[in-house]
Amino acid sequence: MNLDGVALRLNPIRRGPFAATQIHAKTSAAYPRERRTMDIYGRLGVRRRINAAGTLTRLGGSLMPPEVLDAMRAAAGASVDMAELQAAASAAIARATGAEAGIVTTGAAAALTLGTAACLAGFNVHRMERLPDTSGMPGQIVICRGHRTGYDHAIRAAGAKLVEIGFADRVTGAGVRGVEDWEIEAAIGPETAAIAYTATKLNEPPLERVAKLAQRYGLPVIVDAAAQLPPAANLRRFIDAGASLVAFSGGKAIRGPQSTGILCGRRDLIASALLQMLDMDVAPETWSPPPLIPREKLNGIPHHGVGRGFKAGKEEIVGLIVALERFVGIDWEAEARALEGRLQRMAQRLGGAGFATRLVPAAETGRQPWLEVTIDVARTGLDALGVSGALQAGEPPIHLSERRAAEGVLVIDPAALSAGDDATLVERMVALARS
Ligand SMILES: *Cc1c(COP(=O)(O)O)cnc(C)c1O
């Protein structure tokens, strides 16, 4: 939270050409240091919550490390060329992911919309102008039925029509087969613009196979890998498997600003996506984009594109770059051990109060460790969602993950849980079991 910025907005006096700078200097000097660490949520009357539910967007995503916040504060005080800044982000993202290029978006969902827009329009300026109207251009995206999620609205938002194929028999338990190549090939035609793929641990059908097939038809593959981190090795995994574009969330495990994401992949597609997001109110005579944008390949200069509403701010772009560099440098085994130690202590206290718990280590989740707590209705008088609701109704509100609630299990997910909140969380659960 940039409290200097808050102070400035509370004093919007603009008189005379130099007033703003004078006010800035004055405000900074007159702005006491202790107020910069004030309880901003308390002042706004918004309750702080204990979050053991994971990096959920509705709870504000991850907790930003101080070095990310410091970088954002530093970024806020100067003007830069946003295309040049995105080109610098591209270099950083390429280093971290092994992709040819990348941009900072306003989330993985925005990355999916921009990536789709790039597949639909390429460098055709007239097509960029028409989106989300796809008439007169290939506008279909092939997607396996088992890959459909609530987030694929982001793909349709660019104007694409989803063409669903195959069966999710391995998911429903109705059969042994996944989606086969012939099923994908039968859906590909002159209207096809790309193949969309949702990355999961199951990797079904294998991304390597889908990418190879797509390549034979000259089609890009867009991968939604929003929450496939950690491990940091997954930053490279989908590009290595042949994906043309990959979307990651910046506000989940990477711990960048909540409103950020990454779109990385083929350089030409990234350039097209960037063009459809940037402020394009430019004079042709003076427009000088960075080399990431190959002006000579454009048949004109586009106006504001379909992604103009997803603008990433300079502070967010810088914050994401710093968070990504930090994320890549983390010792994941040490991190997992520390989290498992915390969960172990919580499990002991909960076990003593009669809760059945199971610590699922990072080695088993493939991501961060978590603690499963089985809710015994006979003891607590409440089912899993009842306990979850009671914890949320207390003060401060406590959130556990409800992703396994249907099986009577609440999950303590430590991804966005401050260590200082562990004891409060556990004692509230113990008190609930006693009452
Ligand atoms: C979280 C998530 C998204 C959206 O990511 P944002 O960064 O919040 O836009 C998309 N797809 C999947 C699978 C996700 O888990």
Side-chain angles (χ1 to χ4, degrees), residues 35-82:
R35 290 208 53 198
R36 297 184 191 184
T37 53
M38 72 181 163
D39 174 14
I40 185 69
Y41 290 126
R43 204 188 88 189
L44 296 171
V46 174
R47 287 171 301 160
R48 208 181 77 80
R49 287 163 187 263
I50 293 179
N51 179 9
T55 53
L56 305 180
T57 292
R58 65 183 173 278
L59 292 177
S62 58
L63 302 179
M64 259 196 277
E67 59 264 47
V68 177
L69 198 53
D70 287 346
M72 292 178 76
R73 194 187 309 251
S79 298
V80 290
D81 181 285
M82 295 303 285

Side-chain angles (χ1 to χ4, degrees), residues 57 106-110 112 149 151 198 224-227 248-252 258 260-261:
T57 292
T106 51
L112 292 175
T149 74
Y151 295 104
T198 303
D224 178 355
F248 292 107
S249 281
K252 293 179 182 168
Q258 183 189 9
T260 58

Side-chain angles (χ1 to χ4, degrees), residues 337-360:
R337 270 197 306 277
L339 288 173
E340 284 162 17
R342 275 173 62 191
L343 294 173
Q344 187 67 51
R345 284 189 288 280
M346 294 167 88
Q348 263 159 15
R349 179 76 180 108
L350 289 170
F355 283 100
T357 63
R358 188 172 93 87
L359 201 168
V360 191

